[in-house]
Amino acid sequence: MKYLDLKRINEPYQHAADEVLQSGWYLRGEATRRFEEHYAAYIGTKHCVGCANGLDALTLILRAYKELGRLRDGDEVIVPANTYIASILAVTENRLTPVLVEPDITTLQIDDHLIEQALTPRTRAVMIVHLYGRCAYTDRIGELCARHGLLLIEDNAQAHGCRATAPTTTPIASAAGPRTGALGHAAAHSFYPTKNLGAFGDAGAVTTDDDTLADLIRALGNYGSARHYVFDHLGRNSRIDELQAAILDAKLRDLDTANQRRKEIAAIYINKVYNPAITIPVASDHADARLQRDSVWHIFPVLCVRRDELRQYLLDNGVETEIHYPIPPHKQRCYPEWHHLSFPITERIHAQELSIPCNPAMTEEEASHVADLLNSFV
């Protein structure tokens, strides 16, 4: 069983690519306009600005805030210590200072109780990352940012379609609440092919309600130009192309259905896996419905002390898995100044995390088979 069968998932959308090829227009055209309009409406923001990839989306947000005077060289941005490296690369590329904060081991999201302890007079922003497809936002984070006048930036690369937690009485299928990507001042989205809303290559976007910010990000991603051959900023080339925009627009119509299928597969794991050697992302006394509402299961992470043995066991039985991620950011060679730091919860997650198949192409029988294998691992 493949971890993710992209060929099977993407086959229904090849017509969108053919339509772009037939149009003869490949950049900054009607397909891009449609997708940006539809995705902004879906997320619940005034603006969506397409760009080349998710890292560029994050980088452009921070760069725009520097252009607007909200951020300056050396200012501190709080980020989760267990995030993917792109979240941090965007900070350091803008000559800002990342401040790493440990996650909550029960949610694997940034621990909102630790953020305030990390604040200093140089703190200007908090970047929350909706890791694994689960909403990282909490009311505590929102209140803290408002009280201290901090920018709240979302890295929504892994949680397309996720909503903030709704009341526990709300059924899963109709969970209310704002979507991730509309919870802060601005949000970055990645449409890398493996994502819940994945392109046929690299693509990204920024969503925001801020008119000035949106216009500036669009200009910065177009060589610094808002008018043809007039360059007001030192920009870069970071634009979504018509091919990816058309494909994403077609797939957007089916995103909620695909996410619901992910939730159904996740529910099989939650309800059937009982091996004490394997920790699944819900405690036995939690309400399944609540976890289902605030996650779209981009990744279904399990924790196991004998992670590498478990991975080999599953592979020997025909099941592919992934590790997200084997080395934490503060131990990467590109940040040698952090190697002395200790983040025990982050290090535990990176040493034990294993991602098992969870995607809309799976059948219930396949998910039950994976659950049985997990239970039989000794």
Side-chain angles (χ1 to χ4, degrees):
M1 181 192 310
K2 289 185 176 181
Y3 175 72
L4 180 63
D5 191 343
L6 284 178
K7 185 175 185 297
R8 183 175 172 187
I9 289 173
N10 286 332
E11 277 179 343
Y13 305 102
Q14 292 180 8
H15 68 89
D18 293 337
E19 290 169 6
V20 172
L21 294 175
Q22 291 297 320
S23 76
W25 194 279
Y26 307 117
L27 274 173
R28 305 182 72 190
E30 183 63 19
T32 295
R33 186 201 63 76
R34 280 198 308 267
F35 172 66
E36 290 180 340
E37 178 183 322
H38 293 161
Y39 194 63
Y42 177 83
I43 294 295
T45 56
K46 289 175 64 178
H47 303 284
C48 168
V49 181
C51 58
N53 53 68
L55 174 56
D56 277 6
L58 285 169
T59 303
L60 288 167
I61 289 171
L62 296 172
R63 168 70 189 285
Y65 277 127
K66 291 188 73 177
E67 293 270 335
L68 293 171
R70 294 293 303 273
L71 296 172
R72 293 178 173 83
D73 285 4
D75 282 350
E76 294 176 353
V77 179
I78 290 175
V79 293
N82 63 317
T83 188
Y84 181 58
I85 198 74
S87 310
I88 298 170
L89 289 173
V91 177
T92 56
E93 182 174 333
N94 278 287
R95 297 188 296 277
L96 301 168
T97 303
V99 176
L100 306 182
V101 171
E102 285 267 59
D104 181 333
I105 192 61
T106 62
T107 65
L108 309 186
Q109 308 301 315
I110 193 168
D111 190 333
D112 60 5
H113 291 85
L114 300 180
I115 293 176
E116 192 155 18
Q117 301 174 26
L119 297 182
T120 77
R122 295 297 307 235
T123 307
R124 295 291 181 270
V126 174
M127 182 185 293
I128 56 174
V129 186
H130 305 296
L131 286 162
Y132 309 113
R134 185 168 186 173
C135 180
Y137 178 85
T138 66
D139 290 339
R140 182 191 296 269
I141 293 174
E143 188 276 331
L144 182 147
C145 289
R147 177 157 41 95
H148 292 278
L150 304 176
L151 294 168
L152 178 57
I153 299 168
E154 298 174 76
D155 182 339
N156 196 45
Q158 298 186 9
H160 311 128
C162 183
R163 291 188 182 273
T165 304
T168 55
T169 55
T170 305
I172 294 173
S174 60
R179 295 190 195 274
T180 56
L183 302 172
H185 294 95
H189 307 254
S190 167
F191 305 119
Y192 185 76
T194 60
K195 300 302 173 66
N196 289 36
L197 182 61
F200 283 11
D202 272 324
V206 173
T207 54
T208 183
D209 284 330
D210 188 325
D211 299 343
T212 302
L213 184 73
D215 289 344
L216 181 53
I217 288 173
R218 191 177 298 281
L220 288 171
N222 186 42
Y223 300 96
S225 172
R227 291 183 296 153
H228 200 38
Y229 293 140
V230 177
F231 303 94
D232 296 322
H233 311 278
L234 297 175
R236 64 200 301 167
N237 178 15
S238 181
R239 303 171 298 195
I240 193 170
D241 64 62
E242 288 285 279
L243 182 68
Q244 307 309 334
I247 291 162
L248 291 167
D249 195 44
K251 296 179 79 171
L252 180 60
R253 301 164 204 159
D254 299 327
L255 179 57
D256 286 343
T257 299
N259 282 342
Q260 180 60 30
R261 185 56 178 166
R262 288 176 181 268
K263 294 180 181 184
E264 292 166 359
I265 297 299
I268 292 173
Y269 295 145
I270 291 169
N271 294 321
K272 289 193 173 184
V273 176
Y274 54 79
N275 189 334
I278 298 170
T279 301
I280 60 173
V282 59
S284 59
D285 58 347
H286 284 191
D288 289 356
R290 174 158 184 156
L291 184 69
Q292 293 284 58
R293 276 200 305 276
D294 68 0
S295 181
V296 290
W297 300 105
H298 169 59
I299 293 167
F300 193 100
V302 302
L303 301 181
C304 181
V305 173
R306 294 161 53 212
R307 187 260 312 280
D308 294 341
E309 294 177 52
L310 175 60
R311 188 181 195 196
Q312 187 61 51
Y313 169 77
L314 292 172
L315 185 60
D316 290 343
N317 284 275
V319 177
E320 293 181 356
T321 58
E322 296 287 347
I323 297 174
H324 296 93
Y325 304 95
I327 305 173
H330 69 285
K331 296 297 183 183
Q332 297 285 355
R333 290 179 62 187
C334 60
Y335 291 115
E337 65 273 24
W338 292 343
H339 288 183
H340 69 285
L341 298 178
S342 174
F343 294 99
I345 297 175
T346 292
E347 290 160 19
R348 173 185 169 189
I349 293 170
H350 285 259
Q352 297 183 11
E353 194 276 341
L354 185 68
S355 304
I356 60 176
C358 184
N359 61 76
M362 292 179 64
T363 65
E364 294 180 6
E365 290 74 19
E366 288 173 327
S368 294
H369 176 60
V370 174
D372 291 341
L373 290 172
L374 292 172
N375 288 330
S376 62
F377 177 69
V378 179

